[in-house]
Amino acid sequence: MFTRLRDIPITRRADYTKDWQQHYQSRLVTPEESVSHVKSGDHVAFCRGREPQALGLALAARRGELKNVRVTVPQPGRDFGWYDNADWGESFTVEIGYVSAIARAGLSEGFITYRANTDISESTPDLGKNPSYGADVYLVEVSPPDEHGFCSFGASVWDKPTAVRTAKLVMAEVNPRMIRTHGENYVHVTEIDYFNENPAPTGWEIASAPKTEAPAFVHQIAEHVSKLINHRDTIQIGAGGVTEWLPRVGTYDNHLDLGLFTEITPRGLTKLVAGGVITNKYKSIHQGKCVSTAAGGSREDVTFIDGNPIFELYNVDYILNPLTVAAHENIVTCNQALAMDLTGQSTCETIGTLQYSGPGGQPAMVMGAMLGRGSRSIIIVPSTTNDGKQSRIVPMLPSGTSVSGPRYLADIVVSEYGVAHLRWKTLRERATELIKIAHPDFRAELERDARSRLWPS
């Protein structure tokens, strides 16, 4: 494993010679005392993943007395008030790195700004760096310290280890409900300046596996994907309304000795580990280990992962690095698109200028799969929108759409109607393949458009 951080000063290191218990007790304060150290003009970065609840509320409560505080929220999950109040802008200028429902309206109205995360590129000041690195104040949630003085980052690592070590001031909210995992998921108490304790519900504690059944088209897609997986492959499963069903609808059940390397673990995945489907025996790297940067899923999933040495979590710029992905032979990445045009370029971010989400780890996983020996990239595109009125396979992506997957990285595309193999195909061949897996109601229209643009008249 390697570190790609360059030229960013490490402002704090663990001091193992220090009495960590005395350090912890002497820095244990209220959330209000912690955020009293935030000054007007500071850059405050929240951790990616669960934002610390009490610290966020205490910071928001200082609206009016603070001016021009830049607030970076990589992945909005909790609403502290600034996402739907344009008049908060004098106190807090908020930028986000992923578009979730609570921030979408503020983004559309223009008082929240969006930054495209660039996890696959090296952070370096002269070329641009992760804004969480080197922040004036970094806010993070951690578990209580263990007997050696180490706290866990809980169910997700993301970029927290580097963000802690490069921040000028670190404030941690200690939550005894957080899980502990292996890998890079730790920080020593001597690397943190202030602590407050808050046993906030973690969400997964009440998030048992849903009782709803997957729609019929999801089962059809799963059947196609299953045939593209071989025994001993390593799998990656991206975020999405269809992809996250795959472990629960039998996609992988009939395979042997699969490996796991992914960004976030979806619901139901731990049953594949417990059932012997995922063994990680034949992975090229991290043999015997399920590797990700975050652990997700239901209460049952996270309970299984808690303290389990089979699972290791690593920094995001290691996981979402195409070179790390490509180091796996026979990795099959499976991600989802909002739409794809007839040449194979796709989006998982926007339709036109309407921002739904962000690229997440999809670009890195796709690039890595295209570079890896024996590896494949699968993009799932349900044939229509949820109401069935529009095709998701379109002649051209709407004007203003962000292209998450360029056509030169298109490999295998799956809808409920079949599989389209695009690698090394001409544009005419690609259009023909994609039309075959489009919804029947839209095929004639797609055929007419393809003929008019890609075939001579």
Side-chain angles (χ1 to χ4, degrees):
M1 199 170 62
F2 56 89
T3 299
R4 298 188 302 131
L5 182 70
R6 188 180 69 184
D7 302 331
I8 300 175
I10 302 296
T11 60
R12 60 195 61 244
R13 298 182 187 277
D15 184 356
Y16 303 122
T17 66
K18 201 171 195 177
D19 182 344
W20 67 261
Q21 293 170 320
Q22 190 276 333
H23 174 87
Y24 180 82
Q25 291 299 325
S26 68
R27 305 299 181 93
L28 187 59
V29 298
T30 66
E32 291 74 20
E33 286 181 85
S34 283
V35 302
S36 69
H37 295 275
V38 177
K39 306 182 300 296
S40 292
D42 274 351
H43 173 207
V44 178
F46 280 81
C47 62
R48 196 182 313 193
R50 284 168 46 86
E51 303 99 312
Q53 183 183 60
L55 286 172
L57 291 171
L59 178 64
R62 294 191 63 195
R63 175 202 170 206
E65 62 178 280
L66 290 172
K67 304 293 182 186
N68 301 316
V69 173
R70 176 190 174 196
V71 178
T72 296
V73 188
Q75 199 167 304
R78 286 176 164 152
D79 190 353
F80 298 112
W82 43 55
Y83 295 119
D84 50 11
N85 288 285
D87 59 347
W88 284 41
E90 189 175 337
S91 295
F92 304 111
T93 301
V94 181
E95 63 180 55
I96 61 175
Y98 191 86
V99 183
S100 58
I102 61 173
R104 198 166 286 138
L107 182 66
S108 297
E109 294 178 36
F111 60 86
I112 302 294
T113 58
Y114 170 72
R115 179 198 67 253
N117 287 338
T118 318
D119 291 310
I120 64 174
S121 68
E122 186 171 338
S123 282
T124 183
D126 54 332
L127 296 177
K129 63 182 176 65
N130 182 333
S132 294
Y133 296 167
D136 295 309
V137 179
Y138 184 65
L139 307 181
V140 65
E141 188 180 42
V142 299
S143 75
D146 64 14
E147 65 272 22
H148 304 293
F150 286 97
C151 301
S152 170
F153 292 118
S156 65
V157 174
W158 297 113
D159 51 5
K160 296 170 191 174
T162 304
V164 165
R165 285 153 198 158
T166 57
K168 296 183 179 73
L169 202 62
V170 178
M171 302 171 186
E173 189 157 303
V174 181
N175 188 345
R177 301 186 181 194
M178 295 181 74
I179 69 168
R180 304 185 79 96
T181 65
H182 296 261
E184 287 184 301
N185 195 3
Y186 59 87
V187 60
H188 198 260
V189 295
T190 56
E191 298 176 85
I192 297 170
D193 296 291
Y194 297 101
F195 304 88
N196 69 277
E197 295 178 343
N198 181 27
T202 58
W204 62 263
E205 294 170 298
I206 56 173
S208 188
K211 304 302 181 185
T212 55
E213 286 293 324
F217 78 91
V218 170
H219 287 275
Q220 293 165 334
I221 287 173
E223 186 176 347
H224 296 309
V225 171
S226 181
K227 294 175 182 177
L228 299 168
I229 308 292
N230 300 322
H231 299 319
R232 301 184 180 182
D233 279 345
T234 293
I235 59 171
Q236 175 263 333
I237 306 168
V242 176
T243 48
E244 291 178 28
W245 273 107
L246 294 181
R248 290 177 278 152
V249 294
T251 311
Y252 310 102
D253 289 359
N254 295 322
H255 295 84
L256 300 174
D257 290 321
L258 297 181
L260 181 73
F261 181 89
T262 195
E263 182 180 9
I264 305 174
T265 59
R267 289 179 185 270
L269 183 133
T270 58
K271 290 185 178 179
L272 298 175
V273 179
V277 174
I278 294 176
T279 64
N280 300 295
K281 287 181 181 178
Y282 297 95
K283 289 173 69 177
S284 306
I285 60 175
H286 298 289
Q287 281 190 1
K289 304 293 183 180
C290 294
V291 173
S292 67
T293 193
S298 67
R299 178 177 62 229
E300 293 82 2
D301 291 310
V302 181
T303 300
F304 185 86
I305 293 169
D306 186 9
N308 191 332
I310 292 174
F311 289 84
E312 294 185 343
L313 273 57
Y314 291 94
N315 212 67
V316 67
D317 59 5
Y318 174 71
I319 298 296
L320 297 188
N321 182 339
L323 298 178
T324 312
V325 182
H328 296 80
E329 293 187 9
N330 304 310
I331 190 168
V332 183
T333 62
C334 193
N335 295 282
Q336 187 171 339
L338 292 170
M340 176 174 285
D341 74 13
L342 290 178
T343 71
Q345 64 181 359
S346 62
T347 181
C348 64
E349 304 173 60
T350 74
I351 296 295
T353 57
L354 182 60
Q355 188 93 33
Y356 284 92
S357 59
Q362 185 172 140
M365 293 296 179
V366 169
M367 280 188 271
M370 296 297 282
L371 291 168
R373 182 178 180 182
S375 299
R376 291 87 75 202
S377 164
I378 299 171
I379 298 294
I380 289 175
V381 186
S383 65
T384 68
T385 52
N386 293 340
D387 59 10
K389 294 181 178 179
Q390 293 177 286
S391 176
R392 291 188 184 272
I393 296 175
V394 296
M396 293 182 288
L397 294 176
S399 176
T401 298
S402 297
V403 175
S404 312
R407 63 188 187 181
Y408 55 83
L409 291 180
D411 187 11
I412 303 170
V413 184
V414 175
S415 81
E416 65 268 40
Y417 290 99
V419 179
H421 293 270
L422 304 188
R423 195 186 294 199
W424 287 107
K425 297 287 176 67
T426 67
L427 295 186
R428 294 180 188 176
E429 290 170 331
R430 287 179 171 216
T432 299
E433 288 270 306
L434 289 168
I435 291 168
K436 287 178 182 177
I437 68 168
H439 192 284
D441 291 351
F442 298 98
R443 289 178 189 171
E445 179 184 347
L446 290 168
E447 180 74 28
R448 285 193 298 270
D449 183 272
R451 287 285 167 185
S452 67
R453 289 191 301 114
L454 301 177
W455 275 263
S457 56

